[in-house]
């Protein structure tokens, strides 16, 4: 570089900075030092910005040292702002604070950089605190500081300050920028104030794809999935170009409505717009198809993905399990490992859940070994999943060992152990663990815990204890029971023949009784052969869940006791029509460490003739044993 003065060098720095050529900026700065030219308050901020741009923190600190020795630059607000921005970029807000505190009269830019720095680095409370000091100090916030504080409010769920910012905008602020209004819209969405979000959305004269996408997400994440899809289609009809984020929000709304047809349309749009093979969109499509009972379509997308991440593998593993194909989940897990993808804790939880559906103890032991070898044994969620896995594989002893080995137990761990005892019909042990949790820990039970303990009492026939637990849930812990809790209480009373009391519980429910509640009552009527109450339960149940064949068979079995054959014939005709449309679940057995899956009447297994031949032989043996037993009893 030819010899030139500081003014020419500054001009060069400005050009490179404008084009974001940060290495060239640093090269010019080094040349300036080599020429013994003293960097001024113009050159230093640009160079500090370049340090942030290329990740050169140490060089930035050296420049900071130079600034401290120079009175002129050390008092310059632009230099101070550049230093604050440098340190906040690297997450070192303590250094940003030191720089800020050296200025007796910081300007709005410095205040804004501090608020934004805390917000960007996840210290949302500090961001709000700094903003409060800023306003109390008489500094009028600018657009950037307002956006930062609204984002901090959204992360903390602090609607009070967020609404204050909105009020400030209405009263005093004239810069109603789109980015600021979008951040307010996001705040209302994340704090579940859908009506406020709708009002703001309708008031906005200008809208971009972020505006539309935020509003679609606001509907979808707050239980208004139908409205989310309607708004998404309105956006498309108005010619607004959607982005991948909006596509994902719309797919999540399809999951809530369980609308695979709507999901297919959005999938077609994603293909048309070139988003289908975007990893995040592909993952959302896999999730949508799995939860809308089309795992084969999810698998097709998975196969075509040019690049998969751990979320992709986890989504398909979980999806197969949700669709009753846990053996395929474990096959995908093996493929993931052979592909070189290492599972995270979330993926392992999904794998353990899949294994628990199969109930194969040897497999559970192998997966537990994998967990330990890879250092996941201290993860709370994996610990809870292992407790559930061993419980469902019939090894309550191993489940208890896991539970006792966990020193710091959260609610998930306690609930898993309570559920484990419940699965094995050990209601008294479940009650013991529940009482231990309540008395010897700071953990408070939630609705899931109470559902586990109530189910345990029901399976063990502990009516009095179960009703006491239910009353504590409502009166002591002030929790509102949902339909599942009421269904267990009805089941609890019904199992012991207290059908009148079960009816009273249903009549006193503050919410409409759902199919689980009436189903529990119908099941109890089958046990105790009560046709009158059984017909009442069926009358309410069938319109709520008309496609559940098991409920019709329960009523048919009640009629069979009284010999009401014409009604049985009608019910069985209905059931046959259902069965012809039914998607069958699969059973699985493990033979020599290999899982074999089958259906009733299945002939897809390569050894099916041998299997059926063995079954016929076993059937003959069973019939012979029955005949011998009958003769023995007759002789006795």
């Amino acid at each position: 570089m030819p010899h030139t003065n500081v003014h020419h060098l500054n001009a060069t720095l400005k050009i490179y900075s404008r084009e974001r050529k940060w290495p060239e900026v640093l090269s010019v700065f080094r040349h300036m030092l080599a020429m013994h030219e003293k960097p001024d308050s113009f050159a230093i901020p640009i160079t500090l910005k370049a340090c942030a741009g290329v990740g050169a923190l140490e060089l930035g600190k050296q420049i900071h040292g130079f600034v401290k020795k120079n009175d002129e630059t050390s008092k310059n607000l632009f230099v101070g702002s550049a230093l604050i921005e440098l340190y906040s970029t690297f997450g070192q807000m303590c250094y940003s604070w030191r720089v800020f505190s050296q200025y007796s009269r910081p300007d709005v830019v410095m205040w804004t950089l501090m608020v934004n720095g805390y917000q960007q680095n996840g210290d949302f409370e500090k961001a709000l605190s700094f903003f409060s000091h800023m306003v109390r100090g008489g500094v009028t916030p600018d657009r950037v500081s307002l956006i930062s504080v609204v984002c901090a409010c959204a992360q903390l769920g602090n609607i009070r300050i967020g609404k204050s910012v909105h009020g400030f905008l209405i009263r005093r602020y004239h810069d109603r920028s789109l980015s600021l209004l979008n951040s307010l819209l996001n705040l209302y969405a994340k704090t579940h104030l859908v009506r406020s979000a709708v009002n703001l959305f309708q008031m906005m004269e200008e809208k971009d794809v972020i505006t539309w996408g935020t509003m679609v997400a606001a509907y979808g994440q707050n239980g208004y999935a139908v409205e989310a899809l309607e708004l998404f289609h309105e956006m498309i009809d108005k010619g607004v170009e959607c982005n991948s984020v909006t596509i994902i929000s719309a797919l999540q709304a399809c999951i809530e409505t369980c609308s695979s047809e709507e999901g297919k349309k959005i999938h077609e749009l994603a293909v048309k717009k070139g988003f289908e093979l975007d990893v995040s969109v592909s993952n959302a499509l896999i999730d949508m198809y799995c939860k809308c009972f089309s795992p084969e379509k999810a698998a097709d997308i998975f196969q075509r993905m040019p690049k998969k991440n751990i979320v992709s593998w986890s989504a398909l593993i979980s999806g197969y399990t949700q669709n009753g194909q846990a053996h395929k989940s474990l096959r995908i897990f093996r493929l993931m490992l052979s592909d070189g993808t290492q599972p995270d804790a979330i993926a392992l939880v999904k794998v353990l859940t899949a294994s628990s559906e199969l109930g194969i103890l040897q497999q559970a032991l192998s997966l537990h070994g994998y967990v330990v070898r890879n250092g996941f044994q201290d993860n709370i969620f994996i610990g809870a999943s292992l407790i559930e896995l061993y419980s469902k594989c019939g090894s309550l002893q191993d489940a208890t060992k896991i539970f006792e080995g966990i020193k710091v137990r959260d609610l998930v761990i306690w609930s898993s152990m309570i559920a484990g005892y419940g699965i094995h019909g050990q209601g008294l042990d479940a009650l013991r663990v529940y009482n231990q949790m309540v008395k010897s820990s700071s953990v408070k039970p939630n609705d899931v815990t109470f559902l586990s303990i109530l189910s345990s009492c029901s399976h063990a026939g502990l009516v009095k204890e179960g009703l006491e637990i239910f009353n504590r849930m409502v009166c002591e812990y002030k929790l509102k029971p949902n339909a599942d809790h009421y269904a267990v209480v009805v089941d609890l009373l019904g199992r012991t023949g207290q059908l009148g009391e079960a009816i009273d519980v249903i009549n006193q429910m503050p919410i409409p009784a759902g199919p689980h509640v009436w189903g529990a009552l119908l099941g109890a009527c089958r046990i105790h052969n009560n046709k009158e109450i059984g017909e009442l339960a069926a009358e309410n149940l069938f319109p709520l869940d008309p496609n559940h064949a098991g409920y019709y068979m329960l009523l048919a079995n009640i009629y069979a006791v009284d010999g009401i054959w014409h009604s049985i014939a009608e019910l069985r005709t209905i059931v046959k029509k259902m069965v012809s449309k039914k998607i069958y679940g699969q059973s699985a057995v493990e033979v020599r460490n290999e899982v074999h899956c089958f259906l009733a009447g299945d002939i897809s297994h390569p050894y099916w003739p041998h299997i059926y031949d063995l079954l016929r032989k076993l059937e003959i043996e069973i019939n012979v044993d029955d005949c011998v037993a009958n003769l023995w009893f007759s002789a006795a």
Side-chain angles (χ1 to χ4, degrees), residues 35-335:
M35 297 295 299
H36 302 290
E37 294 285 356
K38 196 174 182 180
D40 58 13
S41 55
F42 182 87
I44 288 171
I46 292 176
T47 308
L48 288 170
K49 197 173 186 68
C51 290
V54 299
L57 177 60
E58 289 306 313
L59 177 58
K61 286 183 175 180
Q62 291 173 18
I63 296 171
H64 189 185
F66 168 81
V67 168
K68 287 180 179 178
K69 297 174 185 176
N70 189 309
D71 286 342
E72 184 181 340
T73 53
S74 65
K75 295 176 182 177
N76 186 278
L77 292 173
F78 292 106
V79 172
S81 295
L83 283 167
I84 290 170
E85 188 172 16
L86 170 75
Y87 287 124
S88 66
T89 299
F90 290 96
Q92 301 196 5
M93 289 306 296
C94 56
Y95 286 102
S96 293
W97 160 247
R98 288 180 192 174
V99 173
F100 180 85
S101 63
Q102 290 168 3
Y103 289 82
S104 58
R105 298 183 66 184
D107 63 0
V108 66
V109 175
M110 295 182 81
W111 280 101
T112 298
L113 286 168
M114 288 299 296
V115 172
N116 190 53
Y118 281 123
Q119 185 264 322
Q120 292 287 341
N121 285 287
D123 197 340
F124 306 115
E125 290 182 354
K126 274 273 183 69
L128 295 185
S129 174
F130 233 87
F131 180 77
S132 297
H133 285 301
M134 172 183 174
V135 174
R136 284 201 298 269
V139 179
T140 302
D142 64 3
R143 177 174 55 86
V144 177
S145 61
L146 289 170
I147 290 173
S148 295
V149 80
V150 170
C151 289
C153 289
Q155 292 297 327
L156 292 172
N158 190 326
I159 190 59
R160 183 180 60 83
I161 294 180
K163 282 192 169 183
S164 297
V165 172
H166 195 175
F168 174 82
L169 287 178
I170 294 170
R171 292 191 309 272
R172 296 173 53 190
Y173 207 69
H174 301 295
D175 179 12
R176 307 279 177 86
S177 70
L178 185 57
S179 55
L180 181 51
L181 293 176
N182 282 344
S183 66
L184 278 167
L185 194 63
N186 180 57
L187 167 68
Y188 288 133
K190 287 192 172 178
T191 51
H192 314 297
L193 296 175
V194 179
R195 178 47 51 197
S196 296
V198 171
N199 291 339
L200 178 59
F201 179 80
Q202 291 174 345
M203 177 270 292
M204 292 171 68
E205 296 176 1
E206 181 188 0
K207 299 179 180 76
D208 62 4
V209 65
I210 296 173
T211 316
W212 287 93
T214 304
M215 195 62 232
V216 170
Y219 275 133
Q221 293 166 9
N222 289 284
Y224 297 92
V226 173
E227 289 82 354
L229 291 171
E230 287 174 353
L231 188 67
F232 177 77
H233 289 302
E234 183 184 340
M235 179 189 85
I236 300 301
D237 292 342
K238 289 191 174 181
V240 179
E241 281 293 323
C242 62
N243 58 17
S244 60
V245 177
T246 316
I247 291 281
I248 291 168
S249 294
L251 289 171
Q252 289 169 343
C254 292
I255 292 171
E256 293 302 314
T257 58
C258 202
S259 174
S260 59
E261 288 304 313
E262 193 67 45
K264 286 176 190 174
K265 292 176 186 175
I266 295 169
H267 184 182
E268 290 168 4
L269 179 64
V271 172
K272 183 180 176 182
K273 298 292 183 181
F275 292 129
E276 184 198 25
L277 298 182
D278 175 284
V279 175
S280 297
V281 174
S282 294
N283 292 343
L285 283 166
I286 291 170
D287 192 37
M288 183 273 294
Y289 278 124
C290 284
K291 287 178 179 172
C292 291
F293 311 110
S294 299
E296 66 288 342
K297 289 192 173 80
D300 177 61
I301 291 167
F302 181 82
Q303 292 294 338
R304 291 189 289 108
M305 288 176 71
K307 186 178 179 182
K308 304 173 181 71
N309 59 17
I310 188 62
V311 178
S312 317
W313 292 95
S314 297
L316 193 58
I317 289 169
S318 179
Y320 274 132
T321 305
Q322 291 161 2
N323 284 276
Q325 300 176 38
H327 63 288
K328 289 188 178 180
S329 297
L330 294 171
R331 193 181 303 159
I332 295 298
F333 177 59
R334 287 192 290 272
L335 283 173

Side-chain angles (χ1 to χ4, degrees), residues 344-346 348-350 352-353 368 371 375-389 399 402-417 443:
D344 57 9
I346 296 171
L348 272 178
V349 166
K350 295 180 187 299
L352 294 171
T353 301
H368 188 185
V371 164
F376 287 102
Q377 67 271 21
D378 294 327
N379 183 283
I380 289 292
F381 296 102
I382 286 180
S385 297
L386 282 170
I387 292 170
E388 180 188 27
L389 173 59
I402 297 289
F403 176 75
E404 290 175 350
I406 298 171
K407 302 304 177 187
V408 181
R409 299 167 185 159
D410 70 351
L411 185 59
V412 179
I413 296 293
W414 288 102
S415 299
S416 297
M417 194 66 248
V443 176

Side-chain angles (χ1 to χ4, degrees), residues 27 39 45 114 123 128 159 166 229 234 239 311 343 355 368 404 432 502 527 535 537 544 570 581 601 604 622 628 631:
S27 176
M114 288 299 296
D123 197 340
L128 295 185
I159 190 59
H166 195 175
L229 291 171
E234 183 184 340
V311 178
S355 183
H368 188 185
E404 290 175 350
R432 175 180 55 78
I527 294 170
E535 287 179 332
L544 295 174
E570 291 174 6
K581 301 175 184 176
S604 61
I622 291 167
V628 171
L631 287 170

Side-chain angles (χ1 to χ4, degrees), residues 1-14:
M1 188 177 287
H3 179 78
T4 183
N5 61 30
V6 70
H7 300 295
H8 289 113
L9 292 171
N10 282 349
T12 306
L13 285 172
K14 184 177 180 180

Side-chain angles (χ1 to χ4, degrees), residues 379-578:
N379 183 283
I380 289 292
F381 296 102
I382 286 180
S385 297
L386 282 170
I387 292 170
E388 180 188 27
L389 173 59
Y390 278 125
S391 298
K392 289 187 175 181
C393 289
S395 182
L396 193 56
Q397 183 181 3
D398 284 315
T400 306
K401 279 183 184 176
I402 297 289
F403 176 75
E404 290 175 350
I406 298 171
K407 302 304 177 187
V408 181
R409 299 167 185 159
D410 70 351
L411 185 59
V412 179
I413 296 293
W414 288 102
S415 299
S416 297
M417 194 66 248
I418 291 168
Y421 280 121
I423 289 168
H424 288 261
Q426 298 187 19
L428 291 175
D429 284 317
L431 281 170
R432 175 180 55 78
V433 173
Y434 166 78
N435 289 324
Q436 183 186 348
M437 178 190 76
V438 172
K439 293 174 182 176
S440 64
S441 78
S442 59
V443 176
K444 289 185 177 181
N446 65 3
D447 56 342
V448 177
T449 316
F450 278 110
L451 188 59
S452 296
I453 190 66
L454 286 169
S455 297
S456 301
C457 291
S458 179
H459 293 149
L462 301 173
V463 179
K464 179 184 175 185
E465 292 85 349
L467 294 176
E468 285 177 359
I469 290 288
F470 183 76
N471 288 331
R472 290 186 69 182
M473 172 187 174
V474 176
C475 301
E476 184 177 337
Y477 291 96
K478 309 298 182 187
L479 294 172
K480 289 184 177 180
N482 59 32
D484 291 330
H485 294 101
Y486 283 110
V488 176
V489 172
V490 169
D491 183 58
L492 184 72
L493 293 167
R495 280 172 186 258
T496 55
Q498 301 180 51
L499 300 178
E501 289 82 351
I503 287 284
D504 290 340
V505 168
I506 294 173
N507 290 334
Q508 292 168 17
M509 283 176 60
I511 56 176
H516 294 318
V517 177
W518 290 111
L521 182 63
L522 182 59
C525 292
R526 164 67 184 88
I527 294 170
H528 300 285
N529 297 322
N530 190 311
K531 184 173 78 73
E532 183 182 350
I533 296 179
E535 287 179 332
L536 172 65
E539 184 183 324
N540 287 278
L541 174 60
F542 292 165
L544 295 174
D545 194 353
N547 298 315
H548 195 304
Y551 291 147
Y552 291 88
M553 293 309 297
L554 281 174
L555 183 59
N557 289 334
I558 293 172
Y559 285 149
V561 174
D562 292 337
I564 310 174
W565 306 117
H566 66 280
S567 296
I568 294 173
E570 291 174 6
L571 289 168
R572 285 186 174 167
T573 302
I574 296 170
V575 170
K576 281 181 181 177
K577 289 178 181 177
M578 289 181 194

